Amino acid sequence: MRNVKKLKKVIFLLRYITLSKEICQSLTERLACAGIEVSFVVQEDETRETGDDILWVVDCKEQAAFHDKKVVVYLHEYNSGTDFSGCTYFIEGFEDVGATYFIRIFERFHDIPWVIAKTLRLQIREMAVKDLDAIYELYEHPEHLPFLPPLQENREEEKEYLKRYIQNMYGIFEYGMWLVETTEGEVIGRMGVENTDEEDVLSFGFLIRPDARRKGYALEAGKALLKYLKEEYPYFQIVAFCHPQNVAARSLCDKLGICVKCIN
């Protein structure tokens, strides 16, 4: 299994406001369930703690800058006019925030692909630049992929495209085309959604490696993916644009209950 960096501690360094004892206790309990330690710091001379397994929550621009703006900024009435340019994550309250929120921000800061869903045999996760070779292997036999556009022949161009995709799709929308891999870490396909011309409609697509087909992987991954999408993005309609002759894709969509729109 891969060695993946994990969030071990969240430190709240708040200069302008003090969280109530109830919120502090609740946060501590919620994050402890995920094995994450929580620390609440008031005096800035106590902020010497370092480590690449820590996530900071701050409310002043000096501390945000000190941590290269890789922080969660707590917005409240006492810092409402502060310029937090360059920071990407903001929060206005902690009442309903769980460990997943902090873990995902930590993973973004450390370029760790988000795990979208897990099943007994599979894991659906975001792509990373290091996956480029595995992605090309999925397209090694174009005769088995008659309805999909090929990757770029120039790998460096495809690599740059992948970097932009990760930054823009995952970074902004937090969804997109993901990888399907076995629990042993073998990439066997891609599956996910893309934006369409309609704001409330996402287009479903998938690819399973030829030698991994007819094992129920696509249906298993599809069910897990749709469950995730319905929980996280209930306002979207999921559709699939399929070529009339793509019988396998249409069959899978029927089993998943996804509306199919035929295209030529």
Side-chain angles (χ1 to χ4, degrees):
M1 297 295 288
R2 294 184 301 273
N3 242 344
V4 179
K5 190 179 299 181
K6 292 185 178 181
L7 173 63
K8 294 183 179 179
K9 189 172 186 177
V10 177
I11 300 179
F12 291 77
L13 173 58
L14 304 177
R15 175 184 291 181
Y16 301 114
I17 198 168
T18 301
L19 298 178
S20 69
K21 290 183 179 179
E22 292 76 16
I23 291 178
C24 291
Q25 181 178 352
S26 179
L27 280 167
T28 300
E29 293 174 352
R30 274 176 271 162
L31 271 65
C33 292
I36 301 171
E37 183 184 350
V38 179
S39 177
F40 300 92
V41 180
V42 178
Q43 300 297 325
E44 291 191 23
D45 58 2
E46 297 180 24
T47 64
R48 304 304 179 189
E49 187 168 356
T50 60
D52 60 1
D53 54 3
I54 297 173
L55 178 65
W56 293 83
V57 181
V58 305
D59 67 348
C60 72
K61 66 179 181 180
E62 291 81 8
Q63 281 297 333
F66 180 79
H67 294 289
D68 297 324
K69 301 187 178 179
K70 292 185 176 181
V71 298
V72 178
V73 177
Y74 177 33
L75 297 177
H76 49 72
E77 59 180 319
Y78 301 113
N79 66 0
S80 59
T82 304
D83 180 8
F84 287 107
S85 298
C87 297
T88 52
Y89 290 96
F90 301 86
I91 192 168
E92 296 182 342
F94 301 99
E95 289 77 7
D96 301 315
V97 178
T100 300
Y101 173 81
F102 295 106
I103 291 171
R104 289 200 160 178
I105 293 176
F106 175 84
E107 290 175 339
R108 274 285 179 266
F109 289 152
H110 292 275
D111 297 320
I112 301 171
W114 286 4
V115 174
I116 302 304
K118 290 184 178 182
T119 70
L120 289 176
R121 300 185 297 168
L122 303 172
Q123 177 172 271
I124 302 171
R125 66 167 174 85
E126 294 178 338
M127 297 182 288
V129 175
K130 63 181 177 61
D131 295 311
L132 190 63
D133 288 342
I135 294 171
Y136 267 93
E137 288 177 8
L138 297 176
Y139 290 79
E140 274 188 344
H141 303 285
E143 67 274 13
H144 295 294
L145 311 168
F147 307 108
L148 294 177
L151 300 177
Q152 300 183 66
E153 291 185 12
N154 187 313
R155 289 201 176 213
E156 283 304 312
E157 292 181 2
E158 187 68 34
K159 182 178 180 180
E160 291 305 312
Y161 170 80
L162 181 56
K163 287 180 179 178
R164 294 192 300 271
Y165 189 91
I166 292 170
Q167 179 180 2
N168 297 324
M169 283 301 296
Y170 297 161
I172 297 174
F173 297 102
E174 298 187 350
Y175 56 75
M177 190 58 61
W178 297 301
L179 288 183
V180 179
E181 64 182 6
T182 65
T183 51
E184 291 77 27
E186 179 186 4
V187 175
I188 62 167
R190 303 171 84 178
M191 182 176 288
V193 290
E194 300 282 7
N195 291 324
T196 69
D197 293 335
E198 299 180 63
E199 289 186 1
D200 60 345
V201 176
L202 295 178
S203 172
F204 171 79
F206 75 99
L207 158 64
I208 298 295
R209 204 173 63 200
D211 63 336
R213 295 174 185 174
R214 300 186 182 279
K215 298 179 181 180
Y217 287 142
L219 183 60
E220 185 175 329
K223 288 180 177 179
L225 183 145
L226 286 183
K227 181 176 183 294
Y228 171 82
L229 291 173
K230 288 177 181 178
E231 291 174 351
E232 296 294 323
Y233 309 101
Y235 40 83
F236 279 119
Q237 178 188 3
I238 311 298
V239 303
F241 297 94
C242 295
H243 191 282
Q245 296 180 12
N246 194 346
V247 178
R250 294 172 62 187
S251 174
L252 175 66
C253 290
D254 286 342
K255 293 176 182 177
L256 293 173
I258 295 175
C259 175
V260 175
K261 297 186 178 181
C262 290
I263 58 172
N264 291 317

